[in-house]
Amino acid sequence: MSWLASFALAIVVAMSKVVLISGASSGIGEATARVLAAAGHQVFLGARRVDRLEALASEIGGAYAPLDVTSRESFQSFVDAAVERYGRVDVLVNNAGVMPLSLMSSLKVDEWDRMVDVNIRGVLNGIAAVLPRFADGGHIVNVASIAAHMVMPTAAVYCATKYAVWALSEGLRQERDDLRVTVISPGVTESELADTITEDYATSLMEDFRKIALPASAIGDAIAYAISQPAEVDVNEIVVRPVSQR
Ligand SMILES: NC(=O)c1ccc[n+]([C@@H]2O[C@H](COP(=O)([O-])OP(=O)(O)OC[C@H]3O[C@@H](n4cnc5c(N)ncnc54)[C@H](OP(=O)(O)O)[C@@H]3O)[C@@H](O)[C@H]2O)c1
């Protein structure tokens, strides 16, 4: 290898980050893993469907471990496995989420619980597991939504969970001088998210709403942008919508 190639390789390695991604088995998490791996980062993938993680990791060159974000122990083991493999963690992308939309009057209380458990508790479990493991600063990227900024019919509980993600991200950011915290708020994006809806009325609303969905790589690109900034630059929030979404 020429000295120039060695020099270039050394720069790429120095800029490469160890990035943990929850919910990497489909949609935005999967697309983010592809974008970040292509940019030279070392991606560590987590989700419950490990068969998908295994296939993705072997395709893009990352590693994976099983993860149920609702369990504090599972998140801790996931982070520990990444530290054992790479010796450090630089970024956690808290992406896992569910969206079983329904009218509140339908009283789908088990689905409310699931949204709270995955979308809020899951993010908190990730923060608790990773914060003590950041050696030098660190970066937490929380995937919220445009639902962190507006409330839509059938989405009251989902929006409440995403407002919570926004609030806890902002609170965490204000606490620390050495930690970068980014909220990524996607508009409608291609993924499997709407598959969790069990109410016919909400499903029919979503059919029209999702016709203009962005490719999930558009969100991966936004996350890559936030991660690639210099250490003293904290991109606090990026909202990414289809141009025709009101
Ligand atoms: N798509 C959109 O239009 C849109 C818009 C705004 C915000 N978002 C947000 O984007 C994030 C990603 O969603 P997506 O749109 O990409 O949907 P998706 O394709 O359904 O992906 C959701 C991911 O979350 C994981 N997940 C669910 N429950 C989990 C648990 N208990 N433990 C670990 N992982 C879990 C799933 O993996 P397993 O099932 O394999 O565990 C899957 O990988 C979510 O936070 C969502 O709220 C999406």
Side-chain angles (χ1 to χ4, degrees):
M1 192 184 290
S2 72
W3 72 268
L4 190 59
S6 311
F7 181 64
L9 183 64
I11 289 180
V12 169
V13 169
M15 290 170 62
S16 160
K17 304 217 160 143
V18 176
V19 185
L20 280 54
I21 305 172
S22 74
S25 56
S26 61
I28 291 170
E30 177 186 340
T32 300
R34 290 180 186 283
V35 169
L36 295 180
H41 297 295
Q42 301 181 74
V43 293
F44 194 73
L45 316 172
R48 294 165 305 169
R49 291 171 294 178
V50 282
D51 52 329
R52 290 193 181 201
L53 298 182
E54 185 179 14
L56 181 60
S58 73
E59 185 190 334
I60 66 176
Y64 68 95
L67 171 64
D68 180 348
V69 298
T70 65
S71 155
R72 201 179 297 162
E73 292 73 28
S74 173
F75 225 134
Q76 193 62 62
S77 306
F78 174 70
V79 172
D80 291 348
V83 173
E84 197 175 316
R85 184 178 179 100
Y86 297 110
R88 66 176 211 276
V89 175
D90 300 312
V91 185
L92 168 65
V93 181
N94 266 320
N95 163 75
V98 292
M99 190 190 69
L101 301 179
S102 63
L103 295 168
M104 288 195 78
S105 52
S106 303
L107 296 180
K108 289 184 178 273
V109 291
D110 290 340
E111 295 184 355
W112 301 354
D113 286 351
R114 195 148 66 88
M115 282 187 275
V116 170
D117 285 345
V118 177
N119 300 2
I120 304 179
R121 206 182 310 282
V123 170
L124 290 171
N125 286 340
I127 292 169
V130 84
L131 267 190
R133 300 306 212 134
F134 286 139
D136 226 354
H139 192 170
I140 292 182
V141 178
N142 290 330
V143 179
S145 172
I146 52 162
H149 300 274
M150 58 189 284
V151 180
M152 296 153 279
T154 73
V157 178
Y158 179 72
C159 292
T161 66
K162 294 301 186 177
Y163 272 67
V165 170
W166 190 94
L168 62 89
S169 304
E170 176 61 9
L172 178 62
R173 182 189 75 74
Q174 290 177 18
E175 268 182 36
R176 301 269 298 245
D177 293 339
D178 60 344
L179 179 73
R180 300 199 291 171
V181 181
T182 301
V183 177
I184 300 289
S185 285
V188 59
T189 304
E190 286 166 4
S191 77
E192 298 175 11
L193 196 65
D195 297 355
T196 54
I197 301 172
T198 62
E199 184 166 273
D200 290 347
Y201 174 61
T203 303
S204 64
L205 283 186
M206 274 296 111
E207 268 163 22
D208 263 358
F209 185 66
R210 299 193 74 79
K211 278 183 184 148
I212 55 169
L214 288 173
S217 59
I219 312 305
D221 289 341
I223 292 172
Y225 168 77
I227 289 175
S228 68
Q229 297 309 298
E232 70 276 16
V233 177
D234 185 8
V235 176
N236 297 146
E237 180 162 17
I238 305 179
V239 181
V240 185
R241 285 187 180 88
V243 68
S244 59
Q245 185 170 3
R246 297 283 159 82

